[in-house]
């Protein structure tokens, strides 16, 4: 039995919007109440009554609307109950046989609502992705660059080396053969045993004391450097340093860091056209490595010299050679982008003490190698 308050609620009027044949297509405002198990709907001009087979349905875009629907004499009638107190009054007077439909409509509405909440949460997260990516790039740029470079295949990186090779051939006189090329290749191959790269060894006819490496295993040595090296072990020390740059992928990391993830993504995806890669190529030839990268290359180069049984003392000795051959002139290019030579030589000599040999004698006629080169200009004059 209903209590007096419940019984009053069961007969309380409630409001909604009514759709029926002959009414405005957008429905009309109406009030309603339950009477003897049927819904009495009152519009401004007429009273309507539901049929015994009326049913409860959920509706609307997100299934949050609740309606009583029945088939009238002239067509379908549909009363949408307003939310809030009207919805409660509608439920209070609902006939018992419609209760399961009312519960099913409520469950359907709750299910759709949960689905919408999940979608909105997903959309919110999606909208935050660019912001999170920007924050990541700003705060963890080194990690982001490292991750990207790690996923660039060596084959793709080698194509960058091919482009650098083409630019070098276009801008400098490259020696294709001869004692100097053979010497650089011999030393380089001993230093790169087991490497994932297929190295290209170049000697260019330039007087500067310089050498550089490009991504994918391209090592370029200037003839001026070979003429300045007093022994093949000194030249091998420089080549080992450049090989270390290649193996540690410093060129690729520098390119991605300086030019942005766009350039790195172009390499990763094999996109060899477009402004990003063109800019990347220009940047590679002008790239300066950080002090940390240079020190890492020294350490890795020394390790490779020891593994190849080449006396690593030559790497430190060449620092002295550079300084002695350029008194009072501009700092050689090889030194200008590197840690201070005195401290660098000291650190290398300390590291060399841990390795006592014996060392192989490189099978090179160093005097013949140097004589095969064009007379170099005075050291530093080109800077």
């Amino acid at each position: 039995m209903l209590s007096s308050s419940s019984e009053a609620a069961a007969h309380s009027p409630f409001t909604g919007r009514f759709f029926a044949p002959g009414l405005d297509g957008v429905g009309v405002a109406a009030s309603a109440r339950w009477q003897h198990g049927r819904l009495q709907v009152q519009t401004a001009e007429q009273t309507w009554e539901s049929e015994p087979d009326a049913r409860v349905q959920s509706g609307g875009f997100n299934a949050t609307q609740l309606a009583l629907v029945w088939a009238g004499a002239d067509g379908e009638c549909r009363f949408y109950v307003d939310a809030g107190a009207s919805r409660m009054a509608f439920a209070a007077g609902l006939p018992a046989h419609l209760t399961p439909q009312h519960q099913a409509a409520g469950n359907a509405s709750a299910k759709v609502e949960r689905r919408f909440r999940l979608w909105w949460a997903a959309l919110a997260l999606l909208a935050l992705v660019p912001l999170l990516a920007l924050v990541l790039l700003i705060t963890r740029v080194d990690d982001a660059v490292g991750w990207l470079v790690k996923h660039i295949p060596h084959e793709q990186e080698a194509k960058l080396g091919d482009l650098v090779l083409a630019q070098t051939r276009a801008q400098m006189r490259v020696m294709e053969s001869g004692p100097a090329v053979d010497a650089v290749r011999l030393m380089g191959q001993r230093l790169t045993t087991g490497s994932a790269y297929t190295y290209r060894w170049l000697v260019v006819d330039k007087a500067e004391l310089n050498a550089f490496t490009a991504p994918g295993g391209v090592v370029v040595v200037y003839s001026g450097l070979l003429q300045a090296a007093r022994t093949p072990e000194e030249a091998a020390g420089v080549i080992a340093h450049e090989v270390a740059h290649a193996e540690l992928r410093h060129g690729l990391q520098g390119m991605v860091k300086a030019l942005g993830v766009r350039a790195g993504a172009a390499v990763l995806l094999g996109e060899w056209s477009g402004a990003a890669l063109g800019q990347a190529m220009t940047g590679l030839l002008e790239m300066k490595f950080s002090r940390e990268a240079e020190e890492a290359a020294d350490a890795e180069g020394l390790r490779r010299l020891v593994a190849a049984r080449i006396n690593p003392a030559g790497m430190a000795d060449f620092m002295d050679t550079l300084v002695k051959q350029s008194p009072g002139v501009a700092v050689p290019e090889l030194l200008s982008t590197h840690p201070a030579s005195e401290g660098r030589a000291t650190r290398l000599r300390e590291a060399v003490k841990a390795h006592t040999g014996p060392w192989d004698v490189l099978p090179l006629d160093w005097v013949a190698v140097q004589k095969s080169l064009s007379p170099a200009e005075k050291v530093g004059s080109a800077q």
Side-chain angles (χ1 to χ4, degrees):
M1 175 178 286
L2 293 173
S3 64
S4 57
S5 58
S6 299
E7 186 173 6
H11 297 287
S12 298
F14 45 88
T15 59
R17 198 157 192 86
F18 187 52
F19 295 80
L23 298 182
D24 194 316
V26 296
V28 296
S31 63
R33 70 170 68 232
W34 290 106
Q35 289 287 345
H36 309 297
R38 296 193 180 191
L39 188 67
Q40 303 287 334
V41 180
Q42 181 66 54
T43 65
E45 299 177 349
Q46 190 176 354
T47 300
W48 306 68
E49 184 175 273
S50 65
E51 298 295 330
D53 59 351
R55 58 193 185 280
V56 177
Q57 291 183 346
S58 60
F61 174 68
N62 54 359
T64 57
Q65 292 181 301
L66 184 66
L68 187 74
V69 184
W70 66 92
D74 299 321
E76 184 178 82
C77 299
R78 186 177 292 266
F79 181 82
Y80 284 95
V81 186
D82 288 340
S86 291
R87 191 75 63 90
M88 296 175 63
F90 174 85
L94 194 70
H97 71 280
L98 292 178
T99 299
Q101 295 180 18
H102 182 253
Q103 291 176 342
N107 293 337
S109 178
K111 185 177 180 180
V112 172
E113 189 175 356
R114 287 196 299 272
R115 189 178 302 167
F116 267 79
R117 282 201 296 266
L118 289 174
W119 273 109
W120 279 116
L123 288 174
L125 288 175
L126 191 61
L128 287 174
V129 166
L131 177 60
L132 293 175
L134 180 61
V135 171
L136 178 64
L137 284 175
I138 293 174
T139 60
R140 304 292 298 273
V141 62
D142 289 340
D143 291 342
V145 169
W147 180 90
L148 182 58
V149 168
K150 182 180 177 181
H151 287 79
I152 293 177
H154 287 85
E155 294 77 12
Q156 296 289 66
E157 187 183 356
K159 292 181 180 178
L160 269 180
D162 292 341
L163 297 176
V164 172
L165 201 56
Q167 287 200 8
T168 302
R169 291 183 189 282
Q171 297 175 5
M172 307 176 192
R173 194 175 80 82
V174 177
M175 300 178 187
E176 302 291 349
S177 61
V181 177
D182 294 341
V184 169
R185 182 179 297 112
L186 183 146
M187 291 185 282
Q189 288 176 343
R190 291 188 59 154
L191 293 165
T192 55
T193 302
S195 173
Y197 297 110
T198 300
Y199 274 86
R200 278 69 56 87
W201 310 101
L202 277 74
V203 176
V204 296
D205 186 18
K206 289 183 75 72
E208 290 93 329
L209 304 188
N210 197 20
F212 67 86
T213 186
V218 173
V219 175
V220 179
V221 181
Y222 286 28
S223 59
L225 184 143
L226 295 176
Q227 288 180 315
R230 295 174 302 177
T231 65
E233 285 75 16
E234 288 189 1
V238 176
I239 295 172
H241 176 88
E242 298 303 328
V243 164
H245 276 312
E247 295 292 329
L248 298 173
R249 309 184 97 176
H250 286 158
L252 198 57
Q253 292 173 9
M255 184 192 77
V256 175
K257 192 170 182 178
L259 305 177
V261 173
R262 182 183 174 190
V267 178
L268 178 62
L269 299 174
E271 175 55 54
W272 301 105
S273 60
L277 195 58
Q279 189 182 5
M281 294 308 304
T282 302
L284 275 173
L285 295 179
E286 301 171 350
M287 189 166 292
K288 312 291 185 186
F289 295 130
S290 68
R291 179 178 295 272
E292 291 74 18
E294 296 295 353
E295 291 177 353
D298 276 349
E300 174 62 15
L302 189 145
R303 188 193 70 77
R304 286 179 175 270
L305 287 167
V306 172
R309 299 176 65 84
I310 299 174
N311 191 345
M315 181 181 272
D317 292 342
F318 191 68
M319 297 298 101
D320 298 332
T321 298
L322 287 174
V323 174
K324 288 177 181 176
Q325 293 200 11
S326 58
V329 300
V331 177
E333 185 177 344
L334 188 63
L335 287 181
S336 66
T337 59
H338 288 61
S341 58
E342 293 81 2
R344 185 182 177 193
T346 299
R347 285 193 296 273
L348 285 171
R349 285 202 170 87
E350 287 298 318
V352 166
K353 289 179 181 177
H355 309 284
T356 56
W359 312 114
D360 293 345
V361 176
L362 289 171
L364 293 169
D365 183 344
W366 197 239
V367 173
V369 168
Q370 292 180 314
K371 284 184 176 179
S372 72
L373 299 169
S374 301
E377 301 172 17
K378 187 177 180 180
V379 173
S381 59
Q383 303 304 309

